[in-house]
Amino acid sequence: MFEQFGGAAMALLGAGLAVGLSCVGSAKGTGIAGEAGTGLLSQDPSKSGKVMVLQLLPGTQGLYGLVVFFVCLAKLGIFNGAINLTVAQGCAYFAACMPMALGGLLSAIAQGRVAAGSINILAKKPDDWSKGLILCGIVEFYAILSLLASMLMLLFMK
């Protein structure tokens, strides 16, 4: 039975983890930033726009995971109703999804922490908030690398 459905199961597990773990990381990261943001907004609601930008940044990893999920499903042919993979092929799809799954999870949490620190910059030195935004962008770079790695592996699969 595993020989018949194992390949598809491994591929779908990889796709599910790419979106699931990335979304878990994004939820955690945006939550961390949101907690810091509520403290600032309770004292100065005029900074809500900048706080929302900083809180939004860790949410991008969930979107990247969703992109990998849909590309993987499309490459598998699931939208055509035909999915027939060997276990080895399924494991290859699983492996291709792992950079986004793990990179998305970990970078979103790290970015949430950096965004929370950036919100502290905004609270104490409002004119320097863009420095915190740049720090968040550095973490975002690694989420983009994870997306790129998964996409390249998926797109060049036979």
Side-chain angles (χ1 to χ4, degrees):
M1 179 137 160
F2 186 72
E3 283 298 320
Q4 185 178 5
F5 299 109
M10 290 299 294
L12 293 172
L13 178 61
L17 287 173
V19 69
L21 292 179
S22 294
C23 285
V24 167
S26 286
K28 179 75 173 159
T30 57
I32 291 167
E35 288 175 15
T38 56
L40 173 57
L41 293 178
S42 68
Q43 296 196 357
D44 189 356
S46 69
K47 294 186 171 115
S48 65
K50 292 177 180 176
V51 167
M52 279 194 262
V53 167
L54 290 168
Q55 185 189 12
L56 177 68
L57 286 173
T60 58
Q61 284 84 337
L63 295 174
Y64 300 159
L66 189 64
V67 168
V68 169
F69 174 77
F70 278 116
V71 168
C72 184
L73 293 184
K75 288 288 289 185
L76 289 170
I78 207 159
F79 299 119
N80 302 335
I83 179 170
N84 188 15
L85 299 173
T86 66
V87 174
Q89 289 170 322
C91 288
Y93 277 95
F94 179 87
C97 292
M98 286 303 97
M100 191 66 250
L102 298 174
L105 172 68
L106 298 173
S107 68
I109 294 169
Q111 193 173 42
R113 290 184 181 135
V114 174
S118 300
I119 289 169
N120 289 332
I121 292 173
L122 177 61
K124 295 176 182 171
K125 295 186 176 188
D127 293 336
D128 290 341
W129 86 282
S130 61
K131 292 176 183 176
L133 190 64
I134 291 168
L135 296 173
C136 289
I138 292 168
V139 181
E140 184 76 20
F141 176 72
Y142 293 97
I144 292 169
L145 289 180
S146 296
L147 172 65
L148 182 61
S150 284
M151 291 295 290
L152 286 174
M153 285 192 279
L154 286 170
L155 292 176
F156 289 109
M157 271 192 197
K158 295 179 182 180

